[in-house]
Amino acid sequence: SIQIHLVNGFSLSSSLVLTPEMSLFVGGGVPSVTLIVPTGRTLTNNGYLEVREGNTLQVDAGATFANNGRAAIYGTMVNKGTVSGSGELTYGNETVDTLALLKAAIAAKRSNIYLSASISLTEDLTIPKGTTVYIADDGSTSSLTIPSGKTLTVAGGLVQEGGTLSVEGTLLNNGDVTVSGGTFSAAGSVTNNAGILVMGTASAAFTGSYTAGAGSFFHYNNVDGASLSGIDNDLVYYWVEIKDASKLSTALNGGSAAYHSAQIDLVVNAS
């Protein structure tokens, strides 16, 4: 057998075929190595390919990864091209930039899917149990829009760390939705149906409808007593961090409306 350990980033200058007796390890113990299959090139695996944790296999638009052997992606696959073949392919993380690739990654039961561009639904979509979709995890300006008439059902997880999440249609949460950064707007319908909704961004506005199902939980983390707009505070558990002492009185009075339940932590001296 022949083992190849890729310890530096590499972009194929021509198509490459791994024969049945060959094993290619991307990373080789060294983190942050990327193997790029550029436009017009094909990586054909008839042997064994392993992308180790912290490393990346990148398939560019117009490129192909043909897997006829065994491939294990313990790091990340960035797929903008074509993945084909009848071999065994195991991986958990994938970065996508189109709705078609998002749907394909969900159908392939990827554990973690990262959006790297702005995506708008053209049909109803479900994020199943075992799968979490991330918006702007890498600090990008990626976004997800649920247009009017469309429904995004979350049975697994949806995490927004930046960018924009716009609910113009329906967001049905049966799993876990976390908004920790970026801008969240809900002009449509949000139903927290036995799910967990955690928000920690000041840029959150509900101008449509919010429905709390039996067994659901809505936790809002904020600074200095800000309250959510367009939502009944009785439906929300607030966690408030006081950084500005002058805002303590406002926080204790629940901002613009009385809290139903809250935890208030003082992190500055106040009198």
Side-chain angles (χ1 to χ4, degrees), residues 114 134-140 159-164 178-183:
Y114 301 90
Y134 293 84
I135 303 171
D137 170 76
D138 58 354
S140 67
V159 177
Q160 180 189 5
E161 298 186 343
T164 302
T178 301
V179 179
S180 61
T183 299

Side-chain angles (χ1 to χ4, degrees), residues 35-257:
L35 172 60
I36 301 173
V37 186
T39 301
R41 304 287 186 262
T42 297
L43 172 60
T44 301
N45 174 37
N46 296 323
Y48 178 69
L49 171 67
E50 180 177 310
V51 179
R52 291 176 170 169
E53 187 174 356
N55 303 281
T56 303
L57 172 62
Q58 178 177 317
V59 183
D60 288 344
T64 300
F65 171 45
N67 180 48
N68 302 311
R70 292 190 304 121
I73 315 295
Y74 299 115
T76 298
M77 173 179 280
V78 178
N79 178 27
K80 299 181 180 181
T82 300
V83 176
S84 64
S86 57
E88 178 185 335
L89 177 59
T90 303
Y91 67 98
N93 301 334
E94 184 169 354
T95 300
V96 301
D97 62 358
T98 67
L99 177 59
L101 291 175
L102 172 59
K103 290 168 57 181
I106 289 174
K109 300 181 180 180
R110 304 307 174 219
S111 298
N112 301 300
I113 303 172
Y114 301 90
L115 306 188
S116 61
S118 296
I119 293 177
S120 180
L121 301 187
T122 58
E123 59 188 82
D124 295 344
L125 185 69
T126 296
I127 301 173
K129 290 183 179 180
T131 295
T132 300
V133 173
Y134 293 84
I135 303 171
D137 170 76
D138 58 354
S140 67
T141 56
S142 61
S143 66
L144 179 62
T145 299
I146 308 167
S148 177
K150 302 298 183 288
T151 297
L152 175 64
T153 301
V154 180
L158 176 63
V159 177
Q160 180 189 5
E161 298 186 343
T164 302
L165 175 56
S166 178
V167 182
E168 300 164 7
T170 300
L171 174 60
L172 176 59
N173 180 34
N174 297 318
D176 297 291
V177 175
T178 301
V179 179
S180 61
T183 299
F184 175 90
S185 63
S189 170
V190 177
T191 298
N192 197 21
N193 185 24
I196 297 174
L197 176 58
V198 178
M199 305 193 75
T201 173
S203 301
F206 288 81
T207 56
S209 64
Y210 174 77
T211 303
S216 66
F217 184 70
F218 188 166
H219 190 159
Y220 179 57
N221 305 331
N222 74 97
V223 174
D224 291 335
S227 60
L228 285 167
S229 62
I231 192 167
D232 184 352
N233 276 14
D234 283 351
L235 301 176
V236 182
Y237 177 86
Y238 280 82
W239 177 82
V240 186
E241 183 179 76
I242 302 300
K243 293 184 177 180
D244 181 347
S246 68
K247 301 293 180 64
L248 179 60
S249 177
T250 299
L252 290 172
N253 288 295
S256 60

